[in-house]
Amino acid sequence: MSGMGDDEEEYRGPVTLVFDGRPVEAEAFIAGHFDPLTGAYAWVGRVGPHPGVAAEYDAGNTAVLVRTPEGHEGAGRLTDRNVWGGHRLQGTGAPPFAVPVVDPAED
C-alpha cells in the first residue's frame, strides 16, 4: 500500500473504530513500520466506505481508537475521504495489529 519496504507489517480485515465511545464496525487495510528518525512506530491505512464512519468524519470526529478482533488497539485519526468513499487513517505508537517483538540487545 505505502511502498515503505520489506520492514513493513500489515493488517487487512475487520476493525472496530471507536469515536468518543461510539463503536463502528468497518473493514480496513493498515500498514506500519518503525521510523528510526522519530523513534516511533508509524502506521497508515484506509477504511472502506461506511455510512457510520462518514457520519463521524462529517461531524468533525476524526480522533479514533482502532481495534482488531485479536484485541490489539491503537489511537489514530481519520484524514481525508478518498475517491471510493472511504477514509485514510494514520497513527503513531502502538498499532492496532500484532508486530514482532524486537530485543535491541540481540541486534
Side-chain angles (χ1 to χ4, degrees):
M1 179 185 95
S2 62
M4 287 190 249
D6 293 337
D7 293 333
E8 186 172 74
E9 289 89 26
E10 298 179 349
Y11 172 82
R12 181 185 307 264
V15 295
T16 302
L17 303 174
V18 183
F19 299 90
D20 197 28
R22 295 178 304 278
V24 177
E25 305 295 323
E27 291 289 319
F29 177 71
I30 307 167
H33 71 284
F34 176 75
D35 184 341
L37 296 176
T38 64
Y41 195 89
W43 49 275
V44 297
R46 63 181 178 260
V47 178
H50 188 285
V53 175
E56 293 287 351
Y57 181 80
D58 291 343
N61 301 320
T62 59
V64 63
L65 181 67
V66 182
R67 289 188 185 135
T68 53
E70 294 78 25
H72 300 283
E73 61 183 33
R77 65 183 181 93
L78 289 180
T79 61
D80 49 336
R81 185 174 285 139
N82 62 33
V83 297
W84 301 280
H87 290 84
R88 290 187 36 81
L89 180 66
Q90 66 182 38
T92 303
F97 53 87
V99 295
V101 176
V102 177
D103 183 353
E106 294 179 9
D107 206 12

